[in-house]
Amino acid sequence: MQNKQTENLPTSPMVHVVDDDEAVLDSVSMLLDSIGQANTCYKDAQVFLDAYIKPDFDGHNGCIMLDMRMPVISGIECQHRLKQLGCNMPIIFVTGHGDVPTAVEAMKEGAIEFIQKPFREQQLIDAIQKALQINLKTQKQTKRVQQTQSKLALLTKRETQILEAVVSGKANKVIAIELHLSQRTVEIHRAHVMDKMEVKSLAELVKIVVDASPAE
């Protein structure tokens, strides 16, 4: 069994396969190779976690296939540790000893699929493709949020005050009174905010600001 490292470009999504059964690693790796899907194999959870925390590890682009029952660190425990590390890659659990409570716990913690061995090849491929689509959507959303935050950083203190008031639903007249400004001055600042945030409507402005706000 060969352990594939970072031969692929960083932009290529990687499937990280974590299982203590070498035969499973070999078969899954061969399956993914056959459809041209980049993959890396790890013989247990600790090996994967050690790789994950290295600076050159791309912890955003791809998904993780985790065996549920492994020695020392189980799949569920590995999932918990990854969550603590801020990992947002989708997780697919695969096990030969699955039960309903374990599956429920895994799904509550964010796993997107729970597959029991022996599984059909197409079943695994479908789950991985679903995971990668979710991952791509998450990355696009993260990029949009980062772009919005960069634009917000360009606003002046006054523009930020007016933005916050606009997003909270206050009219220009109310904002003018609260900030001791003329309504015309508020309108000018508001126009500057719209330009810097690169939006055409109030609805669009509110949406991108709300989407970029940290979850409470």
Side-chain angles (χ1 to χ4, degrees), residues 30-73:
M30 288 177 62
L31 173 62
L32 295 177
D33 284 344
S34 72
I35 61 172
Q37 175 58 58
N39 60 93
T40 309
C41 295
Y42 309 84
K43 65 181 181 180
D44 59 47
Q46 188 61 63
V47 172
F48 174 62
L49 289 169
D50 288 344
Y52 183 86
I53 62 176
K54 291 181 179 178
D56 61 346
F57 188 95
D58 184 352
H60 304 283
N61 194 20
C63 68
I64 304 165
M65 175 183 154
L66 266 181
D67 185 26
M68 182 62 72
R69 296 196 179 186
M70 293 181 285
V72 186
I73 301 176

Side-chain angles (χ1 to χ4, degrees), residues 137-155:
K137 183 177 179 180
T138 299
Q139 288 192 79
K140 287 181 177 178
Q141 173 61 17
T142 299
K143 184 176 180 180
R144 285 194 294 268
V145 169
Q146 291 173 339
Q147 290 173 337
T148 298
Q149 291 173 338
S150 295
K151 293 172 185 175
L152 287 170
L154 298 176
L155 301 181

